[in-house]
Amino acid sequence: MEVVALVSGGKDSCFAMMRCMDYGHKVVALANLIPLDDSVDELDSYMYQTVGHQIVVSYAKCMGLPLFRRRIRGSTRDQGLKYSVTAGDEVEDMFALLSEVKRQIPSISAVSSGAIASDYQRLRVESVCSRLGLVSLAYLWRQDQTLLLEEMIRRGIVAIIVKVAALGLKPSSHLGKELAELKCHLLQMNESYGINVCGEGGEYETLTLDCPLFRNARIILDDSEVILHSADSIASVGILHPRAFHLEHKLDSYDRIEDGPVTQESSSCLYEVDEVITHTDVEEKQSPSPAVDACANIDLCISKTGKNLRSIGCWIQDPSRASEGLKADLVAVLSRIENQLKEEGLGWVNVLYVHLYISSMKEFGLANEVYVSFITEKKCYLGVPSRSTIELPLVQAGLGKAYVEVLVSNEVVKRVLHVQSISCWAPSCIGPYSQATLYEEILYMAGQLGLDPPTMKLCPGGPRAELELALQNTEAVANAFSCSIYSSAIHFLVYCSAQLTSSEKEEVEQTLKSSYIARLDCLKAVSSPTVLYVFAPDLPKGARVEIKPILYVPSNDDGVVTIEMETGVPLPAVSKAWTDCSALYSELRDSCCQVHTIGGRICSAVVSITDDIASKICSTAGQLYHRENLKTMARFCAFQIAKILEDNKFSWDSITMLRFYYSVDLSMAADALRGAFSEAFAELAEDNSSMRTDKIPFYNIVPVAGSGRSACTNDIMTCELLASNISSA
């Protein structure tokens, strides 16, 4: 991509440009924001470094690139973490600057910035990039600062300290010193006082005088003045004001200039951007959600359990209906969900997670276009929901071409991580979804592929390599919430390509087991997280494996999150009609169930019906999918779910997610299976007068290419359960 680099003069923005070039991008222009008054060294800005701005004008000649500059007219008006377009804010100066760069150089498609740890700055750069249709590149984001500092010095960045404001840094001793000279001191101050060695906490600022990108000349500072802003005895604040400097041409630069590819006269132009900001072109352009006149043929399932959380699943019900295509089906499904949310006084901002199932991954781009017409940043002002998208055999199951399940909260209280910048940290979410959403101590993570974060390309090496990298990516996301997949995992849902060979399936399963079992042994964990493998015809980007973890992230505020032990809704009692089979069902429990609980707060379970179990519980030999046998298998699953809840002191109201996966190869009709489960849960409640029929749990019936607790088995059907006793006080 052709890139415009935001430069402040500091080491980070220069090294970010070097990283861009490492990954094959071409920096074609520089952009810099400076104070209105040239005599002012530093502004009270949350966004911009301006100390040393007098020298940044020389970067154009040093690099042989055009430099676009704008004077900062705005101030910090929107101080929230997530930025909203605000007239008079300093962020709008960046928007005006980059707008002009894009106008003059239309080929530019990305913006480089040196953000390392500041969400405040990253989100504002991403906001501007989103409005301009540009990609944010932040290759230093969340990198280890000690390693960054060492690499910057090793790779030839010559930068001096131009501001100090931290314990252990003195204006008289450290201003004007080179970064390499102070490296050991900075590391010592980090160990002694916890300062950020790259200055990310505002401890110090730098000015780059030379680096490998300065191919024409280096900057020589001839004269400077130390200005003391604060004479605090503990942590004095001072800056270095440059008085005079000159450029020292590099020996090989003359040859390049004479040969013609780069000339300072033609390439290192300076453009002053002084246009007045107009807000008619910065408003978020949202197309209205497509309207659907009739949804009579849409089957909408709504959870009747759960106080704060519930699921809404929607798909095309009529198998005889001729599909009008993915777009029409997805518009119909999302419209019906949106209408249901409105009826309950809610909106897309209440949605925590979206499972998007489509009939063909070849139409992924089209599905996204429809998706963003409903679910937008503007509607989801706390952050767009996390999401996973896979291809399912929906048409074979008679469910249309689109199937959507959303997890909805009554309360608009959640923490969302949505990093849109391409970085070395984890795969970006340039699309309309977030990496993870935290709600009531449960972290719902988007499906992660084995993508190389800086290139966003699928790693080579097959499914095992993809899973290993996907686990690294999930761990990076988990770390952003101060947790780990190895100590906090409740459940792993592993989507696999149906094209995996038997040996590849074994590799995937062994890779996942080896990645966390050893760590669980070290942590002396009582039980392992539950694992479910689901096989799909296709995954995004043609991946072979995608992993979707659910994590437990305990709250530090006991006044906000509590354990809510349900007493008002009795646990299901086994009816008399089930007495004869309950002994057999109980006997089979260990062979069909995997359960993981966390202190009465969370319960995750996977229940499998294999051929072996089906042969033991079904009486109609040779007719496994006879109506009576479907009822028997549904009854078996309902029994196991009821016992899991009862044994672990959870109720129907605790259920936040309940899915039944079945293989379309087994010729079971979705509506017949759904009817069997409805009947089974109704029977379970029949003899318990205190259990009302509206307490029958919500569940989704999901057609797949295969599923199981092991990657090497293919269950007739598999149940996935998540229950929580945690509620907001």
Side-chain angles (χ1 to χ4, degrees), residues 46 75-84 86 89 120 124:
Y46 292 172
S75 58
T76 306
R77 298 198 174 186
D78 182 353
Q79 297 185 16
L81 181 60
K82 186 175 175 61
Y83 178 71
S84 298
T86 304
D89 193 277
Y120 182 93
R124 279 154 175 74

Side-chain angles (χ1 to χ4, degrees), residues 705-716:
S707 63
R709 289 191 293 150
S710 166
C712 301
T713 61
N714 189 3
D715 297 348
I716 295 171

Side-chain angles (χ1 to χ4, degrees), residues 299-318:
D299 185 13
L300 180 67
C301 292
I302 306 206
S303 170
K304 296 297 184 183
T305 62
K307 294 180 177 178
N308 297 319
L309 277 179
R310 63 190 163 286
S311 297
I312 301 176
C314 191
W315 62 90
I316 306 297
Q317 179 186 24
D318 185 0

Side-chain angles (χ1 to χ4, degrees), residues 431-563:
Y433 63 95
S434 299
Q435 277 93 348
T437 299
L438 178 64
Y439 177 78
E440 287 189 345
E441 297 190 335
I442 299 180
L443 185 66
Y444 303 92
M445 198 177 294
Q448 285 284 351
L449 304 174
L451 294 176
D452 177 43
T455 63
M456 292 295 289
K457 294 180 179 179
L458 203 63
C459 73
R464 179 174 184 171
E466 287 183 30
L467 180 57
E468 289 174 345
L469 185 52
L471 287 169
Q472 290 180 31
N473 293 336
T474 57
E475 179 68 355
V477 175
N479 291 165
F481 290 86
S482 302
C483 65
S484 167
I485 61 171
Y486 303 111
S487 59
S488 304
I490 302 167
H491 177 62
F492 287 116
L493 175 57
V494 185
Y495 292 125
C496 298
S497 167
Q499 280 69 51
L500 291 186
T501 65
S502 297
S503 61
E504 287 174 332
K505 291 177 182 178
E506 291 179 8
E507 278 188 2
V508 166
E509 185 168 348
Q510 289 305 313
T511 299
L512 182 60
K513 284 182 178 179
S514 63
S515 71
Y516 70 82
I517 286 180
R519 292 173 173 86
L520 289 174
D521 290 341
C522 294
L523 295 168
K524 298 181 179 179
V526 177
S527 62
S528 301
T530 52
V531 179
L532 172 62
Y533 295 89
V534 170
F535 290 88
D538 201 4
L539 301 175
K541 293 183 178 289
R544 312 298 296 279
V545 182
E546 177 178 335
I547 189 163
K548 187 174 79 68
I550 299 175
L551 308 181
Y552 172 55
V553 184
S555 170
N556 294 322
D557 188 349
D558 293 334
V560 174
V561 181
T562 59
I563 299 179

Side-chain angles (χ1 to χ4, degrees), residues 614-728:
S615 66
K616 292 178 180 178
I617 64 175
C618 295
S619 57
T620 310
Q623 300 182 48
L624 190 57
Y625 309 116
H626 185 276
R627 183 175 181 276
E628 288 303 315
N629 283 341
L630 287 182
K631 286 174 60 178
T632 299
M633 288 187 283
R635 185 184 292 117
F636 178 82
C637 284
F639 176 89
Q640 300 300 343
I641 293 165
K643 291 300 294 179
I644 289 169
L645 294 173
E646 182 179 30
D647 292 349
N648 294 285
K649 296 181 171 37
F650 289 83
S651 74
W652 293 126
D653 271 345
S654 305
I655 296 175
T656 61
M657 178 268 291
L658 181 59
R659 295 190 197 97
F660 296 98
Y661 300 90
Y662 73 98
S663 173
V664 292
D665 294 336
L666 302 179
S667 302
M668 286 186 284
D671 57 345
L673 195 57
R674 184 163 173 250
F677 275 105
S678 295
E679 190 172 334
F681 282 116
E683 286 180 4
L684 187 63
E686 189 175 49
D687 287 351
N688 188 341
S689 59
S690 58
M691 260 194 80
R692 304 184 304 276
T693 55
D694 66 352
K695 287 299 177 183
I696 292 173
F698 163 84
Y699 56 88
N700 267 340
I701 304 291
V702 184
V704 295
S707 63
R709 289 191 293 150
S710 166
C712 301
T713 61
N714 189 3
D715 297 348
I716 295 171
M717 64 179 70
T718 314
C719 167
E720 183 184 24
L721 168 72
L722 182 67
S724 172
N725 276 332
I726 305 170
S727 66
S728 296

